Amino acid sequence: MTPLIFVTGGVVSSLGKGIAGASLAAILESRGLNVTLMKLDPYINVDPGTMSPYQHGEVYVLDDGAETDLDLGHYERFVRTRLTRRNAVTTGKIYENVLRKERRGDYLGATVQVIPHITDEIKRCIDEATSGYDVALIEIGGTVGDIESLPFLEAIRQLRIERGMQHTLFMHLTLVPYIKAAGELKTKPTQHSVKELRSIGIQPDILLCRSEQPLPESEKRKIALFTNVPEKAVIDAIDLPNIYRIPMWFHAQGLDAIVIERLALGPKVHEADLGEWERTVEAYEHPRESVSIAIVGKYVEHKDAYKSLGEALIHGGMKQSVRVDLRWIEAAEIESQGTGLLAGADGILVPGGFGQRGFEGKVMAAQYARERKVPYFGICYGLHAAVVEFARHVAGLDGANSTENDRAAAHPVIALITEWRTSSGEVERRDEGSDKGGTMRLGSQLCRLAPGTLAHRLYGADEIRERHRHRFEFNDSYRERLAAHGMVMSGVSEDGSLVEMIELPGHPWFLACQAHPEFTSTPRDGHPLFIGFVKAALAERTRRRD
């Protein structure tokens, strides 16, 4: 039976439950435990795949193609465990499973109710995702008191009874605001948050107190007294300049020791080895150089829409002790104001996106980078922009475009992919009438790299795997024509039918890929493409400086 740590949040949303849980998981992993994490999201969507980036932020894709919450990205960046669709559950998915069972007659004519049928399904999903691990952390999305999350909270309350206190632990993240006018920290929101949690039968074992500054011992005693939590289990979770410092911050307060004692994990663990995290933080906080990267996106007003991308660029710099300054530029503004917005950038990155708005701005950014020899990195839609730009201005294909934006394009160099082979060898087919949700080319796919190319040198391998999320691809009927004008197709799919990467020889660094390599970058390891891109940006900065 896997011991379970449930992470809940109170007072307000966006306190950082995902990062807090991932940080604790990182410490436990450093002590020799095999750790996994899981997210229970209260929204009724089956997954976030069809949700607006402005509302939900990034859709994080797993190896098996699951479209998940961005917190799964935090999990995979902090621990070595690779997650699957089992690690991401929504209210919509739970109800979908239950209704499917009801239609099959699995409930033998019973009246299907929230208790026990919905809560039983939640517990089944938790067991399925966590079995076989030394310990599992399970984050319940939303805020205690929300009506949407009540079934999840009821299910974990039941699990405490069924599994016992030695196999379950409740960790509650709450807010202790600082009132500047009064010059005081206020514990009342935390008291009420715990009161709300206790009213539904859950007594937290640990409190993580989010605040701008460490809590005085007197305030910790007060919180402990009013919430029935041991004083040593009232943990400071202050604002830190670097999220990768959080595991060391929690370890210094003995959070992992409390968990190990409480769940009787002592025989399985050794002393924490946080050396990798210390080196990561050192590289982040004491860079020797800096570069400026212009990110030409569609959703830059909401930075969480590109969460993994921003982190991957920072990781690429950390591996070389380079600070990466991110310049977020709205693609539509390039269309209206011109490419002068890109002046001074040491590198230009055009990320993924959907739809016509801003696409021509991305194309203009690709042209600017190509003509001015500025390092260019295109990801997904950034590859489409680079291919369209090259087709128009180098290959002379007037009217070249993506059929996503112009179905009657004279030269549809980017077109809807209707058939592809999955990593398991199965053939999947789609058309324009297919459902939007879960129907893209998703998940980890094998890519063969051409020897002698930039991509091959960066990866140091003939075959690699990257995660995908898209409907439109390079139109293979234009492969020879574009190659004749100098474009190199440096990566292709396993069967050779799909172009996965392109690059331009003679340019200092111009590479675009159909996949999303940001999803596999981690702070401890970085990613070959992002490391190479930042290195090229530093060379460009040095060239301009000299």
Side-chain angles (χ1 to χ4, degrees):
M1 184 184 296
T2 302
L4 306 176
I5 302 169
F6 297 106
V7 184
T8 57
V11 186
V12 294
S13 60
S14 301
L15 288 180
K17 294 189 300 297
I19 292 176
S23 297
L24 174 56
I27 312 171
L28 296 176
E29 184 181 71
S30 80
R31 301 195 64 164
L33 294 174
N34 185 17
V35 183
T36 192
L37 298 101
M38 183 182 189
K39 179 74 181 288
L40 305 178
D41 261 314
Y43 50 75
I44 299 175
N45 305 63
V46 174
D47 62 42
T50 59
M51 295 171 71
S52 166
Y54 291 113
Q55 286 194 22
H56 188 265
E58 169 184 85
V59 175
Y60 185 81
V61 179
L62 304 178
D63 278 343
D64 64 359
E67 295 176 285
T68 71
D69 184 81
L70 61 82
D71 277 320
L72 277 286
H74 292 312
Y75 302 165
E76 288 201 329
R77 286 189 284 273
F78 276 80
V79 299
R80 300 287 185 191
T81 304
R82 297 296 88 181
L83 306 177
T84 71
R85 62 182 68 250
R86 293 178 177 178
N87 298 88
V89 173
T90 69
T91 294
K93 188 177 292 185
I94 293 294
Y95 273 82
E96 183 183 52
N97 292 346
V98 168
L99 290 172
R100 190 178 295 120
K101 290 178 180 180
E102 186 274 331
R103 292 290 84 185
R104 285 201 309 261
D106 291 6
Y107 298 121
L108 302 175
T111 300
V112 180
Q113 297 177 296
V114 173
I115 302 172
H117 302 97
I118 295 298
T119 51
D120 282 353
E121 180 64 17
I122 294 169
K123 291 185 289 185
R124 185 196 67 78
C125 288
I126 291 173
D127 188 59
E128 183 180 64
T130 61
S131 294
Y133 290 89
D134 294 329
V135 65
L137 289 93
I138 300 154
E139 176 190 351
I140 291 80
T143 305
V144 171
D146 293 345
I147 191 171
E148 295 93 344
S149 60
L150 282 174
F152 290 121
L153 295 171
E154 170 60 21
I156 68 175
R157 183 197 68 81
Q158 293 176 17
L159 282 169
R160 162 61 64 88
I161 297 171
E162 294 168 5
R163 297 196 177 201
M165 294 186 65
Q166 197 172 35
H167 298 286
T168 54
L169 184 148
F170 294 119
M171 186 168 74
H172 188 57
L173 180 66
T174 182
L175 178 67
V176 182
Y178 177 74
I179 308 301
K180 189 174 182 179
E184 295 178 346
L185 288 164
K186 291 297 183 181
T187 65
K188 193 65 69 177
T190 292
Q191 295 175 39
H192 280 284
S193 178
V194 174
K195 181 180 179 182
E196 182 75 27
L197 198 58
R198 293 173 70 183
S199 73
I200 56 177
I202 295 175
Q203 167 63 50
D205 302 296
I206 296 172
L207 291 180
L208 301 182
C209 298
R210 288 285 282 114
S211 60
E212 296 179 20
Q213 52 190 300
L215 300 179
E217 290 303 316
S218 60
E219 297 301 312
K220 286 189 175 184
R221 284 194 296 273
K222 182 178 179 181
I223 291 172
L225 180 65
F226 278 96
T227 60
N228 203 33
V229 173
E231 187 177 338
K232 70 174 183 178
V234 179
I235 305 295
D236 282 322
I238 66 168
D239 296 341
L240 293 173
N242 175 4
I243 61 171
Y244 301 120
R245 183 176 281 280
I246 298 175
M248 292 181 288
W249 176 261
F250 282 164
H251 176 62
Q253 296 181 75
L255 176 60
D256 51 310
I258 295 170
V259 170
I260 288 165
E261 178 185 2
R262 181 70 171 67
L263 297 177
L265 296 170
K268 295 184 176 182
V269 303
H270 52 66
E271 288 299 313
D273 180 3
L274 296 173
E276 284 186 320
W277 291 106
E278 291 166 356
R279 289 189 290 273
T280 295
V281 169
E282 172 66 21
Y284 181 92
E285 296 183 351
H286 300 95
R288 295 191 295 269
E289 296 281 356
S290 67
V291 296
S292 174
I293 303 296
I295 303 172
V296 182
K298 296 185 56 162
Y299 320 111
V300 297
E301 294 176 11
H302 187 34
K303 300 298 187 297
D304 276 353
Y306 299 109
K307 188 64 179 179
S308 293
L309 183 71
E311 292 299 309
L313 283 166
I314 291 170
H315 303 161
M318 284 160 51
K319 299 306 292 182
Q320 306 166 81
S321 293
V322 174
R323 185 184 77 244
V324 179
D325 298 322
L326 306 180
R327 287 174 51 192
W328 300 94
I329 300 174
E330 173 60 54
E333 291 183 2
I334 292 182
E335 295 176 5
S336 61
Q337 299 179 39
T339 54
L341 294 173
L342 301 170
D346 302 314
I348 297 170
L349 191 149
V350 178
F354 298 94
Q356 186 172 1
R357 182 184 65 80
F359 181 68
E360 290 302 322
K362 291 176 180 256
V363 172
M364 292 167 68
Q367 182 179 10
Y368 178 96
R370 179 180 60 79
E371 293 178 347
R372 303 203 177 204
K373 305 293 186 183
V374 178
Y376 177 89
F377 190 3
I379 294 176
C380 195
Y381 217 24
L383 177 140
H384 298 180
V387 170
V388 167
E389 189 282 319
F390 187 90
R392 291 176 184 174
H393 302 125
V394 179
L397 302 178
D398 293 338
N401 211 330
S402 166
T403 58
E404 181 175 4
N405 302 319
D406 182 3
R407 294 189 181 185
H411 293 286
V413 291
I414 303 294
L416 181 71
I417 176 175
T418 57
E419 181 177 303
W420 66 91
R421 190 172 299 278
T422 68
S423 57
S424 62
E426 299 177 358
V427 174
E428 290 198 13
R429 296 180 176 85
R430 300 286 185 272
D431 58 41
E432 292 187 359
S434 298
D435 288 347
K436 297 296 184 187
T439 58
M440 288 184 273
R441 185 181 176 210
L442 292 164
S444 179
Q445 306 279 332
L446 188 141
C447 173
R448 300 186 189 280
L449 301 179
T453 60
L454 173 61
H456 192 276
R457 290 197 301 274
L458 291 171
Y459 279 101
D462 296 327
E463 295 182 350
I464 53 99
R465 302 191 74 91
E466 293 290 1
R467 300 176 186 179
H468 289 248
R469 184 176 184 255
H470 54 93
R471 289 189 178 85
F472 292 80
E473 296 263 4
F474 185 107
N475 186 341
D476 199 57
S477 64
Y478 285 89
R479 190 188 296 196
E480 291 185 6
R481 270 188 276 186
L482 297 188
H485 286 84
M487 179 176 283
V488 171
M489 288 63 182
S490 52
V492 296
S493 59
E494 185 173 9
D495 61 5
S497 65
L498 300 172
V499 172
E500 297 279 17
M501 292 191 191
I502 63 100
E503 52 192 71
L504 301 180
H507 190 284
W509 206 98
F510 194 108
L511 184 149
C513 57
Q514 183 61 72
H516 287 269
E518 69 268 28
F519 292 147
T520 51
S521 176
T522 68
R524 289 178 285 179
D525 302 326
H527 185 284
L529 296 185
F530 288 93
I531 294 171
F533 179 56
V534 172
K535 184 176 181 180
L538 182 60
E540 167 66 11
R541 186 180 187 88
T542 302
R543 182 191 67 78
R544 287 193 293 110
R545 187 169 55 200
D546 294 345

